[in-house]
Amino acid sequence: MSGTQAADDANDTADVSSFFEGIAWTPVIQEMAELLVLWISCDLCGAALWGLPRVGKSEFARYIEKVALELFGDTMLVIRLHFEGSEQFVKTVPLIRRMLANVDVRALSHRDPDVLRQRFYDEIWSRCTTKTRRILVIVDEVQNVAVGLYGEFSIINAAIRDKEYTPFMLSIGQPELRSTVANVENKLHTMGRMFQEVCEFHGLSLNQLEELLASMEGKDLNFSRRYFPARAEKGWSVIVLVGPIERAVRSVVDLDQKNLDLFMPMAIVRQTLNYLFFFLADEDNADKDVTETEVLQAFARNGFKKQIMAYCKPRLEPAQPKKAAEQ
Protein backbone atom coordinates (compact mmCIF):
# COMPACT_ATOMS: atom_id res chain seq x y z
CA MET A 1 0.00 0.00 0.00
CA SER A 2 1.48 3.35 -0.99
CA GLY A 3 1.69 6.31 1.34
CA THR A 4 -0.63 8.35 -0.89
CA GLN A 5 -3.23 5.61 -0.87
CA ALA A 6 -3.03 5.38 2.92
CA ALA A 7 -3.52 9.13 3.16
CA ASP A 8 -6.50 9.04 0.82
CA ASP A 9 -8.08 6.23 2.88
CA ALA A 10 -7.56 8.24 6.05
CA ASN A 11 -9.01 11.42 4.60
CA ASP A 12 -12.52 10.20 3.86
CA THR A 13 -13.64 12.52 6.64
CA ALA A 14 -12.54 16.00 7.63
CA ASP A 15 -12.94 15.28 11.35
CA VAL A 16 -9.89 16.97 12.87
CA SER A 17 -9.91 14.52 15.79
CA SER A 18 -8.65 11.76 13.51
CA PHE A 19 -5.74 13.19 11.53
CA PHE A 20 -3.88 9.88 11.68
CA GLU A 21 -6.76 7.42 11.63
CA GLY A 22 -6.02 4.71 9.08
CA ILE A 23 -2.52 6.00 8.32
CA ALA A 24 0.01 3.22 8.86
CA TRP A 25 2.52 3.84 6.07
CA THR A 26 5.90 5.40 6.76
CA PRO A 27 9.11 5.31 4.71
CA VAL A 28 10.66 3.04 7.35
CA ILE A 29 7.72 0.64 7.23
CA GLN A 30 8.01 0.58 3.44
CA GLU A 31 11.73 -0.16 3.69
CA MET A 32 11.21 -2.96 6.21
CA ALA A 33 8.31 -4.44 4.24
CA GLU A 34 10.50 -4.65 1.13
CA LEU A 35 13.21 -6.33 3.20
CA LEU A 36 10.69 -8.82 4.57
CA VAL A 37 9.52 -9.68 1.07
CA LEU A 38 13.15 -10.26 0.07
CA TRP A 39 13.79 -12.55 3.04
CA ILE A 40 10.68 -14.59 2.32
CA SER A 41 11.39 -14.73 -1.41
CA CYS A 42 14.85 -16.09 -0.60
CA ASP A 43 13.24 -18.90 1.45
CA LEU A 44 14.76 -17.86 4.76
CA CYS A 45 13.16 -19.51 7.79
CA GLY A 46 13.17 -16.53 10.13
CA ALA A 47 14.53 -13.09 10.94
CA ALA A 48 14.43 -10.56 13.77
CA LEU A 49 13.83 -6.82 13.99
CA TRP A 50 14.91 -4.93 17.10
CA GLY A 51 14.46 -1.28 17.91
CA LEU A 52 14.10 1.34 20.62
CA PRO A 53 10.67 1.83 22.22
CA ARG A 54 8.03 3.76 20.25
CA VAL A 55 9.80 3.69 16.88
CA GLY A 56 6.88 1.85 15.23
CA LYS A 57 7.76 -1.85 15.41
CA SER A 58 4.31 -3.03 16.47
CA GLU A 59 2.69 -0.71 13.95
CA PHE A 60 4.83 -2.40 11.32
CA ALA A 61 3.52 -5.80 12.47
CA ARG A 62 -0.07 -4.59 12.16
CA TYR A 63 0.70 -3.06 8.77
CA ILE A 64 2.02 -6.38 7.47
CA GLU A 65 -1.17 -8.08 8.67
CA LYS A 66 -3.20 -5.46 6.83
CA VAL A 67 -1.38 -5.51 3.50
CA ALA A 68 -0.27 -9.16 3.35
CA LEU A 69 -2.62 -9.87 0.44
CA GLU A 70 -1.11 -7.01 -1.56
CA LEU A 71 2.46 -8.00 -0.69
CA PHE A 72 2.23 -11.77 -1.03
CA GLY A 73 -1.04 -12.58 -2.76
CA ASP A 74 -3.56 -15.07 -1.39
CA THR A 75 -0.89 -17.75 -0.95
CA MET A 76 0.25 -16.26 2.39
CA LEU A 77 -1.42 -16.62 5.79
CA VAL A 78 -0.26 -14.19 8.49
CA ILE A 79 -0.49 -15.05 12.20
CA ARG A 80 0.51 -12.30 14.65
CA LEU A 81 1.43 -13.33 18.17
CA HIS A 82 1.98 -10.41 20.53
CA PHE A 83 3.33 -10.48 24.06
CA GLU A 84 3.17 -6.81 25.04
CA GLY A 85 2.56 -5.75 28.60
CA SER A 86 4.32 -6.34 31.90
CA GLU A 87 3.86 -10.13 31.96
CA GLN A 88 7.02 -12.16 31.47
CA PHE A 89 6.43 -15.58 29.95
CA VAL A 90 8.66 -18.12 31.65
CA LYS A 91 6.39 -21.19 31.62
CA THR A 92 4.97 -23.13 28.70
CA VAL A 93 1.25 -23.15 29.52
CA PRO A 94 0.84 -19.35 30.02
CA LEU A 95 2.76 -18.80 26.77
CA ILE A 96 0.51 -21.11 24.77
CA ARG A 97 -2.59 -19.60 26.37
CA ARG A 98 -1.48 -16.14 25.23
CA MET A 99 -0.88 -17.55 21.75
CA LEU A 100 -4.42 -18.97 21.73
CA ALA A 101 -5.83 -15.62 22.85
CA ASN A 102 -3.89 -13.95 20.03
CA VAL A 103 -5.77 -16.07 17.48
CA ASP A 104 -9.14 -15.57 19.23
CA VAL A 105 -9.46 -19.05 20.72
CA ARG A 106 -11.33 -18.84 24.02
CA ALA A 107 -10.87 -22.41 25.26
CA LEU A 108 -7.84 -21.67 27.46
CA SER A 109 -8.50 -23.51 30.70
CA HIS A 110 -6.88 -26.89 29.92
CA ARG A 111 -3.58 -27.52 31.73
CA ASP A 112 -2.06 -29.98 29.27
CA PRO A 113 0.30 -28.08 26.91
CA ASP A 114 -0.18 -30.72 24.19
CA VAL A 115 -3.94 -30.14 24.20
CA LEU A 116 -3.48 -26.38 24.11
CA ARG A 117 -0.94 -26.64 21.27
CA GLN A 118 -3.35 -28.72 19.24
CA ARG A 119 -6.07 -26.11 19.68
CA PHE A 120 -3.64 -23.50 18.44
CA TYR A 121 -2.71 -25.56 15.39
CA ASP A 122 -6.34 -26.37 14.63
CA GLU A 123 -7.09 -22.65 14.51
CA ILE A 124 -4.18 -22.02 12.14
CA TRP A 125 -5.17 -24.85 9.80
CA SER A 126 -8.76 -23.61 9.77
CA ARG A 127 -7.56 -20.29 8.38
CA CYS A 128 -5.64 -21.88 5.52
CA THR A 129 -7.26 -22.17 2.10
CA THR A 130 -6.51 -24.33 -0.89
CA LYS A 131 -4.30 -21.48 -2.13
CA THR A 132 -2.21 -21.17 1.04
CA ARG A 133 1.44 -22.00 0.47
CA ARG A 134 3.27 -19.97 3.12
CA ILE A 135 2.55 -19.06 6.74
CA LEU A 136 4.16 -15.96 8.22
CA VAL A 137 4.23 -15.99 12.02
CA ILE A 138 4.99 -12.59 13.57
CA VAL A 139 6.17 -12.78 17.20
CA ASP A 140 5.86 -9.23 18.57
CA GLU A 141 7.51 -8.13 21.85
CA VAL A 142 9.48 -11.37 21.90
CA GLN A 143 11.79 -10.00 24.62
CA ASN A 144 8.98 -10.81 27.08
CA VAL A 145 9.36 -14.53 26.32
CA ALA A 146 12.08 -16.44 28.17
CA VAL A 147 14.80 -17.76 25.87
CA GLY A 148 14.16 -21.23 27.24
CA LEU A 149 10.70 -21.13 25.64
CA TYR A 150 11.91 -20.29 22.14
CA GLY A 151 11.62 -23.99 21.45
CA GLU A 152 7.84 -23.47 21.30
CA PHE A 153 8.33 -21.33 18.21
CA SER A 154 10.53 -24.02 16.68
CA ILE A 155 7.70 -26.50 17.33
CA ILE A 156 5.30 -24.19 15.45
CA ASN A 157 7.80 -24.02 12.59
CA ALA A 158 8.03 -27.81 12.43
CA ALA A 159 4.24 -28.25 12.60
CA ILE A 160 3.81 -25.86 9.66
CA ARG A 161 6.34 -27.82 7.63
CA ASP A 162 4.62 -31.09 8.52
CA LYS A 163 1.49 -29.69 6.90
CA GLU A 164 3.60 -28.96 3.80
CA TYR A 165 3.39 -25.19 4.14
CA THR A 166 6.51 -23.00 4.07
CA PRO A 167 6.99 -21.12 7.37
CA PHE A 168 8.65 -17.80 8.06
CA MET A 169 8.99 -16.49 11.60
CA LEU A 170 9.52 -12.75 12.14
CA SER A 171 10.56 -11.89 15.70
CA ILE A 172 10.20 -8.26 16.82
CA GLY A 173 11.52 -6.85 20.07
CA GLN A 174 13.32 -4.22 22.10
CA PRO A 175 17.13 -3.68 21.93
CA GLU A 176 17.74 -6.49 24.43
CA LEU A 177 16.78 -8.86 21.62
CA ARG A 178 20.30 -8.32 20.23
CA SER A 179 21.91 -9.82 23.32
CA THR A 180 19.37 -12.64 23.24
CA VAL A 181 20.42 -13.49 19.70
CA ALA A 182 24.08 -13.41 20.77
CA ASN A 183 23.31 -15.80 23.62
CA VAL A 184 21.71 -18.40 21.36
CA GLU A 185 24.26 -18.25 18.53
CA ASN A 186 25.55 -21.69 19.51
CA LYS A 187 22.03 -23.14 19.30
CA LEU A 188 21.92 -23.77 15.58
CA HIS A 189 18.35 -25.03 15.67
CA THR A 190 17.07 -21.72 17.08
CA MET A 191 19.37 -19.52 14.99
CA GLY A 192 18.42 -21.30 11.78
CA ARG A 193 14.68 -21.07 12.35
CA MET A 194 14.34 -17.66 14.01
CA PHE A 195 17.39 -15.45 13.52
CA GLN A 196 18.92 -15.97 10.08
CA GLU A 197 18.85 -12.19 9.68
CA VAL A 198 18.84 -9.55 12.42
CA CYS A 199 18.12 -5.93 11.55
CA GLU A 200 17.41 -2.69 13.40
CA PHE A 201 14.02 -0.99 13.04
CA HIS A 202 14.71 2.71 13.51
CA GLY A 203 12.71 5.92 13.62
CA LEU A 204 12.31 8.49 10.87
CA SER A 205 15.14 10.68 9.69
CA LEU A 206 14.25 14.29 8.93
CA ASN A 207 14.25 13.46 5.22
CA GLN A 208 11.89 10.55 5.87
CA LEU A 209 9.66 12.85 7.92
CA GLU A 210 9.32 15.00 4.81
CA GLU A 211 8.43 11.88 2.79
CA LEU A 212 5.77 10.99 5.36
CA LEU A 213 4.20 14.44 5.18
CA ALA A 214 4.29 14.35 1.37
CA SER A 215 2.50 10.99 1.37
CA MET A 216 -0.11 12.33 3.81
CA GLU A 217 -0.59 15.40 1.65
CA GLY A 218 -1.33 13.36 -1.45
CA LYS A 219 -2.09 14.97 -4.79
CA ASP A 220 -3.21 18.59 -5.21
CA LEU A 221 -2.79 19.42 -1.51
CA ASN A 222 -5.56 16.95 -0.62
CA PHE A 223 -4.76 16.74 3.09
CA SER A 224 -4.32 20.49 3.52
CA ARG A 225 -7.47 21.28 1.53
CA ARG A 226 -9.48 18.87 3.67
CA TYR A 227 -8.27 20.02 7.08
CA PHE A 228 -6.87 23.54 6.51
CA PRO A 229 -8.77 24.85 3.44
CA ALA A 230 -8.08 28.55 4.00
CA ARG A 231 -4.34 27.93 4.18
CA ALA A 232 -4.40 25.55 1.20
CA GLU A 233 -6.13 28.18 -0.92
CA LYS A 234 -2.97 30.25 -0.51
CA GLY A 235 -0.81 27.29 -1.60
CA TRP A 236 0.16 26.23 1.91
CA SER A 237 1.04 22.56 2.47
CA VAL A 238 1.66 20.45 5.58
CA ILE A 239 5.04 19.58 4.08
CA VAL A 240 6.37 22.96 5.23
CA LEU A 241 6.15 21.73 8.83
CA VAL A 242 9.44 19.92 8.30
CA GLY A 243 11.21 23.30 8.54
CA PRO A 244 10.12 24.33 12.07
CA ILE A 245 10.45 20.74 13.29
CA GLU A 246 14.04 20.59 12.09
CA ARG A 247 14.85 23.98 13.60
CA ALA A 248 13.35 22.90 16.92
CA VAL A 249 15.40 19.71 16.88
CA ARG A 250 18.60 21.61 16.16
CA SER A 251 17.86 24.08 18.94
CA VAL A 252 17.84 21.14 21.38
CA VAL A 253 20.86 19.29 19.98
CA ASP A 254 23.36 20.58 17.43
CA LEU A 255 23.38 17.56 15.13
CA ASP A 256 26.13 18.90 12.89
CA GLN A 257 28.49 19.92 15.68
CA LYS A 258 28.05 16.57 17.42
CA ASN A 259 28.13 14.70 14.09
CA LEU A 260 24.82 12.98 14.83
CA ASP A 261 21.74 11.92 12.90
CA LEU A 262 18.31 11.88 14.51
CA PHE A 263 15.73 9.11 13.95
CA MET A 264 12.44 10.30 15.42
CA PRO A 265 10.21 7.56 16.89
CA MET A 266 6.90 7.34 15.08
CA ALA A 267 4.93 7.76 18.31
CA ILE A 268 6.62 11.14 18.87
CA VAL A 269 6.12 12.11 15.23
CA ARG A 270 2.41 11.39 15.51
CA GLN A 271 2.00 13.26 18.79
CA THR A 272 4.01 16.25 17.57
CA LEU A 273 2.13 16.52 14.29
CA ASN A 274 -1.22 16.19 16.03
CA TYR A 275 -0.27 19.06 18.34
CA LEU A 276 0.71 21.19 15.36
CA PHE A 277 -2.40 20.21 13.37
CA PHE A 278 -4.68 21.26 16.22
CA PHE A 279 -2.76 24.52 16.49
CA LEU A 280 -3.34 25.12 12.77
CA ALA A 281 -7.03 24.17 12.97
CA ASP A 282 -7.70 26.63 15.80
CA GLU A 283 -9.52 29.67 14.38
CA ASP A 284 -7.62 31.90 16.80
CA ASN A 285 -4.42 30.93 14.96
CA ALA A 286 -5.76 31.59 11.47
CA ASP A 287 -3.10 34.23 10.78
CA LYS A 288 -0.27 32.42 12.54
CA ASP A 289 2.32 30.04 11.16
CA VAL A 290 3.92 27.16 13.00
CA THR A 291 7.36 28.09 14.31
CA GLU A 292 9.96 26.18 16.29
CA THR A 293 8.29 27.59 19.42
CA GLU A 294 5.14 25.52 18.83
CA VAL A 295 7.23 22.46 18.01
CA LEU A 296 9.21 22.84 21.24
CA GLN A 297 5.92 23.13 23.13
CA ALA A 298 4.88 19.83 21.55
CA PHE A 299 8.23 18.26 22.51
CA ALA A 300 7.76 19.49 26.09
CA ARG A 301 4.30 17.91 26.26
CA ASN A 302 5.31 14.54 24.81
CA GLY A 303 8.65 14.34 26.64
CA PHE A 304 10.79 14.17 23.52
CA LYS A 305 12.98 17.09 24.55
CA LYS A 306 14.37 14.96 27.39
CA GLN A 307 14.58 11.78 25.30
CA ILE A 308 15.99 13.13 22.06
CA MET A 309 19.59 11.97 22.57
CA ALA A 310 18.44 8.37 22.90
CA TYR A 311 17.28 8.52 19.28
CA CYS A 312 20.48 10.05 17.88
CA LYS A 313 23.25 8.05 16.26
CA PRO A 314 26.77 8.93 15.17
CA ARG A 315 26.89 9.73 11.50
CA LEU A 316 28.57 7.20 9.30
CA GLU A 317 31.74 8.60 7.81
CA PRO A 318 31.58 8.73 4.01
CA ALA A 319 33.77 6.15 2.34
CA GLN A 320 37.14 7.58 1.43
CA PRO A 321 38.43 6.91 -2.09
CA LYS A 322 41.27 4.50 -2.12
CA LYS A 323 44.63 5.89 -3.16
CA ALA A 324 46.17 4.35 -6.19
CA ALA A 325 48.99 2.01 -5.30
CA GLU A 326 52.36 3.60 -5.77
CA GLN A 327 54.34 2.29 -8.68
Side-chain angles (χ1 to χ4, degrees):
M1 179 181 292
S2 68
T4 300
Q5 182 180 346
D8 290 342
D9 290 345
N11 292 337
D12 287 339
T13 174
D15 179 5
V16 296
S17 67
S18 57
F19 291 116
F20 277 93
E21 184 177 334
I23 296 176
W25 182 92
T26 72
V28 177
I29 282 180
Q30 181 70 31
E31 177 185 324
M32 291 295 103
E34 291 173 358
L35 188 57
L36 176 62
V37 171
L38 175 63
W39 288 336
I40 291 174
S41 299
C42 291
D43 285 331
L44 271 64
C45 295
L49 297 177
W50 65 271
L52 291 169
R54 310 180 79 189
V55 293
K57 303 182 299 296
S58 293
E59 187 163 350
F60 170 71
R62 292 190 292 269
Y63 177 86
I64 293 300
E65 270 192 305
K66 181 179 178 181
V67 302
L69 182 63
E70 181 180 331
L71 290 176
F72 305 108
D74 53 8
T75 62
M76 174 73 78
L77 172 68
V78 180
I79 301 293
R80 187 168 76 92
L81 307 177
H82 41 96
F83 302 98
E84 69 269 12
S86 59
E87 184 175 1
Q88 298 293 307
F89 294 89
V90 296
K91 294 185 178 180
T92 301
V93 169
L95 175 70
I96 302 176
R97 284 176 176 164
R98 172 62 72 89
M99 289 161 48
L100 284 166
N102 288 163
V103 295
D104 300 322
V105 174
R106 297 182 179 180
L108 309 176
S109 60
H110 210 289
R111 296 182 180 181
D112 187 337
D114 290 332
V115 172
L116 294 173
R117 281 192 201 97
Q118 191 57 53
R119 290 175 182 173
F120 178 75
Y121 298 145
D122 288 344
E123 177 61 26
I124 293 179
W125 311 147
S126 72
R127 298 185 183 191
C128 295
T129 70
T130 56
K131 295 182 179 180
T132 303
R133 297 291 180 269
R134 297 178 181 270
I135 298 179
L136 167 61
V137 180
I138 301 174
V139 186
D140 197 5
E141 302 290 0
V142 70
Q143 78 279 347
N144 290 332
V145 179
V147 175
L149 293 182
Y150 282 10
E152 286 298 323
F153 303 129
S154 295
I155 292 173
I156 295 173
N157 187 297
I160 292 172
R161 288 193 180 278
D162 286 346
K163 282 287 186 177
E164 299 186 349
Y165 299 118
T166 301
F168 185 91
M169 189 157 292
L170 179 65
S171 302
I172 300 176
Q174 303 292 343
E176 51 263 41
L177 181 57
R178 288 179 297 172
S179 58
T180 298
V181 173
N183 290 335
V184 299
E185 280 186 346
N186 61 336
K187 298 180 180 180
L188 299 181
H189 192 67
T190 300
M191 289 298 296
R193 294 197 173 189
M194 294 183 68
F195 304 126
Q196 285 185 287
E197 292 280 357
V198 180
C199 182
E200 181 182 4
F201 192 105
H202 54 76
L204 275 66
S205 68
L206 292 171
N207 287 338
Q208 289 172 326
L209 174 61
E210 185 171 356
E211 289 182 54
L212 172 64
L213 287 169
S215 75
M216 289 176 61
E217 184 67 280
K219 298 178 181 179
D220 302 321
L221 303 181
N222 283 349
F223 186 92
S224 296
R225 289 186 187 281
R226 182 172 295 273
Y227 294 109
F228 316 112
R231 295 175 185 270
E233 284 300 315
K234 301 175 184 178
W236 184 92
S237 168
V238 292
I239 301 174
V240 304
L241 294 177
V242 173
I245 291 174
E246 180 171 358
R247 289 192 292 274
V249 166
R250 293 182 183 279
S251 73
V252 177
V253 53
D254 191 330
L255 298 174
D256 294 329
Q257 184 180 40
K258 296 180 180 293
N259 201 33
L260 297 172
D261 283 322
L262 171 68
F263 297 91
M264 293 183 69
M266 186 56 197
I268 293 296
V269 170
R270 182 183 289 107
Q271 292 165 1
T272 300
L273 289 179
N274 270 330
Y275 182 90
L276 301 181
F277 290 158
F278 279 112
F279 172 87
L280 291 165
D282 189 335
E283 292 181 358
D284 291 340
N285 298 326
D287 297 324
K288 298 178 182 178
D289 290 324
V290 169
T291 68
E292 66 183 76
T293 299
E294 287 71 41
V295 179
L296 289 171
Q297 289 172 353
F299 286 174
R301 286 172 177 261
N302 59 37
F304 189 54
K305 192 171 182 179
K306 296 179 180 178
Q307 304 167 355
I308 192 168
M309 288 302 297
Y311 295 93
C312 291
K313 290 186 173 186
R315 287 179 182 166
L316 296 177
E317 294 295 334
Q320 298 296 322
K322 293 182 179 180
K323 295 182 179 180
E326 295 183 3
Q327 296 293 330

